[in-house]
């Protein structure tokens, strides 16, 4: 998205007044690369450019590409027909959200990237991850009106110092030209970490945990939103967030994550 604009900005013919600045940046970049050689975002192996994956990690990142379920965003073994492809899971238990999109299926490399961002303060990898998400979610971003990151409780935000979902949403918003509305959803009570909980326990843990502030309901009403998070596992957190936004009057809520769990591959239903 906005690839042409970036290419035009990088073109010497169109950016003549900025040549000196570009040269300065290249020199600075060269000095930084000598002191801190670029490394793979996931495994820290040497790479040519910062913000990249090495060949091994790239080959092991299970990108989700067509055909996939239009509702859940899960990969499908094959596609046919002209209409939307829906998996049996989407037909039998449709989620609260409209459509979900993800860069990759949750696996070793996706886990390492998400954990590095969330737990190791690797904010340097938020921009490349966010750009990948913007590409993966291009169709749901094209008619969205705002992005809403999944919020952290204020105590967890204080301990972690940043919200990884908000960091990703900021990058996606810049790529897609969409505003980020972090204040439209809040986590009104602390919850225990979802890691290690089964599906039912996760749902109980986040029940009633999210709400839209009264001051935001007027702005939010009728809006087409994209909820942004790092990972979609059982969907309990996402479901609780989406329901809170819809109850407050959102017109539609889609979901964009970096990775999602996709255990079963279903045959499509058109």
């Amino acid at each position: 998205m906005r690839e042409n604009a970036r290419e035009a900005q990088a073109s010497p013919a169109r950016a003549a007044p900025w040549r000196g600045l570009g040269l300065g940046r290249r020199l600075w970049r060269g000095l930084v690369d000598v002191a801190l050689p670029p490394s793979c975002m996931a495994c820290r192996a040497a790479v040519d450019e910062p913000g990249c994956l090495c060949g091994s990690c790239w080959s092991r990142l299970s990108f989700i590409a067509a055909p996939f379920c239009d509702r859940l965003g899960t990969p499908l073994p094959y596609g046919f027909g002209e209409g939307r492809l829906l998996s049996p899971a989407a037909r039998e238990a449709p989620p609260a959200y409209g459509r979900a999109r993800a860069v990759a299926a949750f696996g070793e490399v996706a886990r390492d990237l998400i954990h590095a961002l969330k737990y190791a303060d690797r904010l340097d990898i938020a921009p490349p991850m966010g750009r990948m998400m913007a590409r993966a979610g291009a169709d749901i971003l094209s008619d969205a009106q705002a992005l809403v990151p999944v919020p952290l409780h204020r105590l967890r935000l204080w301990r972690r110092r940043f919200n990884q979902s908000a960091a990703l949403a900021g990058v996606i918003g810049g790529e897609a030209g969409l505003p980020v509305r972090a204040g439209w959803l809040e986590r009104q009570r602390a919850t225990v970490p979802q890691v290690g909980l089964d599906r039912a326990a996760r749902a109980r843990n986040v029940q009633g945990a999210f709400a839209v502030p009264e001051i935001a309901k007027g702005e939010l009403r009728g809006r087409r939103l994209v909820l942004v998070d790092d990972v979609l596992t059982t969907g309990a957190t996402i479901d609780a967030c989406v329901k809170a936004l819809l109850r407050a009057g959102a017109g539609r809520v889609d979901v964009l994550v970096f990775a999602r769990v996709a255990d079963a591959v279903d045959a499509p239903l058109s």
Side-chain angles (χ1 to χ4, degrees), residues 35 75 110 165 167 232 236 258 269:
S165 300
L232 195 164
F258 182 79
L269 299 172

Side-chain angles (χ1 to χ4, degrees), residues 26-39 47-50:
R26 288 194 296 272
L27 289 173
W28 172 249
R29 167 73 180 280
L31 292 173
V32 171
D33 286 351
V34 169
L36 299 170
S39 61
V47 293
D48 293 334
E49 296 284 337

Side-chain angles (χ1 to χ4, degrees), residues 163-183:
N163 178 355
Q164 75 281 354
S165 300
L168 293 169
V171 178
I172 297 164
E175 292 289 303
L178 290 171
V180 178
R181 297 292 184 251

